[in-house]
Amino acid sequence: LICNMTQQTDSKPTALFLMGPTASGKTDLAIQLRQSLPVEVISVDSALIYKGMDIGTAKPSKEELALAPHRLIDILDPAESYSAMNFRDDALREMANITAQGKIPLLVGGTMLYYKALIEGLSPLPSADEKLRLEIEEKAQKFGWPALHQELQKIDPISAERINPNDSQRINRALEVFYLTGKSLTELTEQKGEELPYQFLQFAIAPEDRAVLHQRIEQRFHKMIELGFQEEVEKLYQREDLHPDLPSIRCVGYRQMWEYLRGDYDHEEMVFRGICATRQLAKRQITWLRGWKTPLNWLDSLQPQQAKEIVLRKIDAHFKG
């Protein structure tokens, strides 16, 4: 198999995508694949990019990273922001670097928007307009974000369906795009940019039984608390340059812990909300994957050995053409 892999089946090099909801076993499978194949791992995760956010993001441990080093983790300070466009540029650079070494990029993670940006290229969206953003924020202070979400519902029902009525950042951006261009975010994102210069095999891993995923999420959240998640967020909370509207602090779990430290509710409520928010994230990730346009090979998290064998078989068949 490995001998075949350096022979590309046509002019485009191959890349592997391993997607899935949170807590589905992506990291474990990636490590297994790294032991069997000439692959290098690139993280596709909008939370793992941040330094000092290790426990609450379930960042692979030092031992796991020794077995399968991940690119694009720990690349930013939590005060900085990062877009799908930044990810696309960084991922393409890392992919080219891996391919040049005669290896195969294995992209692993659950940030579906990043995969979409990578596969389809980015649509021609206008850049941010600070003055307009402030005007939208002032309007939100007056009427509340849910009212602006209703306005978005009228001009762009598809985006409104996808965006939470309290997600200030995304509502602001969707309205900003409409005010600047007269076109909805949905309309503009259908105009694609450059396509990915790779042929890719896509795998999605999840437990077939959703209840198992819910159980894993709950167990993992309790484990994070035991490992010192509160102390991790306390360090962030003490920094004057961090606030709850930043993408880093809006990460699932971090927002709930931050609100707990601020005194919004008690510890038990924080744990409950953190688990609920993580389950909602998993549900959204699965919805994205169910609606994925290109064919996905589904793997069952509860059969890790079988999942690995399916991936190896599919890759073998791909390289034999």
Side-chain angles (χ1 to χ4, degrees):
L1 169 67
I2 289 172
C3 305
N4 289 340
M5 295 189 77
T6 48
Q7 314 292 314
Q8 296 298 343
T9 51
D10 68 17
S11 56
K12 283 185 183 176
T14 295
L16 308 174
F17 291 177
L18 176 56
M19 313 169 176
T22 187
S24 60
K26 297 182 293 292
T27 304
D28 291 347
L29 181 54
I31 291 169
Q32 290 285 312
L33 295 173
R34 178 76 165 43
Q35 310 309 303
S36 314
L37 299 168
V39 294
E40 290 286 331
V41 179
I42 299 174
S43 167
V44 186
D45 190 302
S46 60
L48 296 188
I49 56 174
Y50 296 113
K51 296 172 192 164
M53 291 174 59
D54 305 334
I55 299 168
T57 59
K59 198 170 279 174
S61 66
K62 285 192 174 68
E63 294 73 26
E64 288 172 325
L65 290 172
L67 292 169
H70 284 47
R71 299 174 187 223
L72 303 190
I73 67 172
D74 291 331
I75 56 171
L76 282 193
D77 183 85
E80 297 176 276
S81 59
Y82 191 75
S83 66
M85 193 184 291
N86 296 140
F87 170 78
R88 190 173 202 270
D89 292 344
D90 288 348
L92 285 172
R93 184 191 66 241
E94 297 295 347
M95 289 167 84
N97 179 295
I98 292 165
T99 306
Q101 294 171 25
K103 293 184 176 178
I104 296 170
L106 168 60
L107 289 95
V108 181
T111 302
M112 303 308 160
L113 186 64
Y114 285 5
Y115 283 112
K116 194 173 176 344
L118 192 56
I119 295 169
E120 297 177 354
L122 287 147
S123 46
L125 293 176
S127 45
D129 181 317
E130 284 311 316
K131 187 168 169 285
L132 182 54
R133 287 194 166 187
L134 286 171
E135 283 170 20
I136 296 169
E137 272 171 32
E138 281 165 17
K139 201 170 168 185
Q141 278 167 356
K142 200 170 170 187
F143 302 107
W145 285 108
L148 269 69
H149 186 266
Q150 283 176 340
E151 183 185 337
L152 180 62
Q153 188 97 43
K154 291 186 189 119
I155 57 177
D156 186 356
I158 295 172
S159 289
E161 178 66 29
R162 210 167 31 86
I163 297 170
N164 183 298
N166 292 305
D167 190 337
S168 56
Q169 194 187 16
R170 289 204 174 99
I171 295 169
N172 195 327
R173 177 59 175 155
L175 289 173
E176 177 193 35
V177 165
F178 181 74
Y179 295 156
L180 286 171
T181 65
K183 290 183 177 173
S184 72
L185 191 57
T186 303
E187 213 178 328
L188 285 175
T189 46
E190 279 168 0
Q191 300 172 27
K192 300 295 176 247
E194 275 176 74
E195 286 197 1
L196 181 64
Y198 285 77
Q199 42 180 339
F200 42 92
L201 282 176
Q202 300 180 88
F203 299 92
I205 187 167
E208 287 196 352
D209 181 356
R210 188 77 60 90
V212 173
L213 189 61
H214 284 178
Q215 197 182 352
R216 283 186 173 193
I217 285 168
E218 187 167 343
Q219 286 167 346
R220 189 160 82 171
F221 200 86
H222 286 294
K223 183 92 165 87
M224 286 171 178
I225 302 283
E226 280 169 38
L227 291 171
F229 181 35
Q230 182 171 335
E231 291 80 358
E232 179 173 271
V233 184
E234 278 169 352
K235 280 184 194 157
L236 301 172
Y237 192 80
Q238 283 155 12
R239 283 179 47 173
E240 286 179 10
D241 57 344
L242 299 182
H243 55 82
D245 291 329
L246 286 168
S248 57
I249 307 304
R250 285 179 41 245
C251 287
V252 158
Y254 286 85
R255 173 189 272 182
Q256 290 74 24
M257 183 64 85
W258 188 280
E259 288 168 350
Y260 160 65
L261 293 175
R262 198 168 63 189
D264 293 6
Y265 32 76
D266 65 17
H267 193 273
E268 195 180 341
E269 178 74 4
M270 176 273 294
V271 172
F272 172 73
R273 285 177 181 234
I275 291 168
C276 287
T278 313
R279 284 178 177 172
Q280 282 168 340
L281 168 65
K283 187 182 174 186
R284 284 198 304 275
Q285 289 168 316
I286 289 169
T287 303
W288 267 89
L289 288 167
R290 294 259 179 249
W292 209 247
K293 286 181 186 149
T294 40
L296 284 178
N297 298 289
W298 281 92
L299 309 167
D300 183 6
S301 308
L302 303 181
Q303 307 283 342
Q305 189 52 38
Q306 184 195 50
K308 180 187 169 185
E309 284 163 14
I310 291 171
V311 175
L312 294 178
R313 264 206 316 276
K314 293 276 182 192
I315 293 169
D316 194 28
H318 168 77
F319 280 97
K320 282 178 177 162

